[in-house]
Amino acid sequence: MIKILPTISTTFIALSAICVAVGWYYIRARNQEAHKKWMLVGSLFATIFFIIYVSRTIFVGNTLFGGPDSIKVIYQIFLIFHIVLATVAAVMGIVTLTHAFKKRFAKHKKIGPWTAIIWFATAITGVTVYTLLYLIYPGNTTASMIKVILGF
Ligand code: HEM
């Protein structure tokens, strides 16, 4: 039950990035309706990811890295990089959506590609963290968020 949650939430990040890529393709093809629909579904998937992730952190805790000490620090730096990207992507996503709904399309068009690119980077680094933590070096033990991120 506990292990299935990170798999589901990581799937939602990946699906969300695919929706954003399809949404970008549609606006390049000048299909505004399809762009809007795909971007909203992408935002919904990102929100589902976030809800699962936060509930897991509160009720279960985060998973400790199970790999060798020699790469632990590299893993932790990579994890922090991913968390920073995810936070920036979330804030930029809200700004991008707000510009769209208020019909400030010039501003939306300026920030939209950056939001999408940071979103893709978040998804790629997120899937990498998942692969390291659950597939290559399964740790199995959970700990507080601070210990998982900073190592103490
Ligand atoms: C977080 C979600 C969204 C992202 C990441 C996003 C991203 C983008 C991107 C990358 C472009 C193309 C810029 C270019 O290549 O020139 C764009 C344009 C556009 N988007 Fe979005 N978008 C999002 C949500 C929405 C929503 C919900 C709407 C409708 C309410 C919308 C309406 C438009 C329109 C009308 C344009 C064309 C603007 C123009 O050509 O002047 N977008 N968006």
Side-chain angles (χ1 to χ4, degrees):
M1 176 57 196
I2 285 162
K3 268 218 174 141
I4 202 132
L5 287 178
T7 310
I8 296 173
S9 63
T10 307
T11 307
F12 274 109
I13 311 183
L15 286 176
S16 166
I18 292 167
C19 291
V20 170
V22 175
W24 195 342
Y25 161 80
Y26 274 120
I27 201 65
R28 299 303 299 174
R30 294 175 199 281
N31 186 340
Q32 230 190 88
E33 265 317 297
H35 171 72
K36 182 176 172 179
K37 273 186 201 145
W38 280 92
M39 290 309 193
L40 287 179
V41 174
S43 307
L44 176 71
F45 284 169
T47 309
I48 295 174
F49 155 75
F50 187 68
I51 291 170
I52 297 175
Y53 178 76
V54 171
S55 343
R56 207 177 147 261
T57 303
I58 294 172
F59 296 112
V60 184
N62 294 99
T63 308
L64 279 172
F65 183 60
D69 280 350
S70 54
I71 60 165
K72 209 169 201 158
V73 170
I74 298 169
Y75 168 80
Q76 244 134 8
I77 292 170
F78 190 78
L79 176 64
I80 291 170
F81 177 57
H82 165 72
I83 293 170
V84 170
L85 279 177
T87 310
V88 172
V91 173
M92 286 179 75
I94 292 165
V95 172
T96 307
L97 283 170
T98 307
H99 283 325
F101 283 119
K102 298 210 162 155
K103 300 198 186 312
R104 296 188 296 245
F105 290 124
K107 283 186 176 165
H108 174 81
K109 195 177 166 178
K110 231 182 203 169
I111 194 178
W114 293 108
T115 306
I117 288 164
I118 295 172
W119 206 303
F120 298 149
T122 304
I124 294 165
T125 53
V127 172
T128 309
V129 167
Y130 173 84
T131 307
L132 286 169
L133 200 53
Y134 294 99
L135 303 182
I136 304 180
Y137 301 115
N140 277 326
T141 39
T142 51
S144 78
M145 197 177 203
I146 296 295
K147 186 168 168 80
V148 166
I149 298 173
L150 299 177
F152 54 84

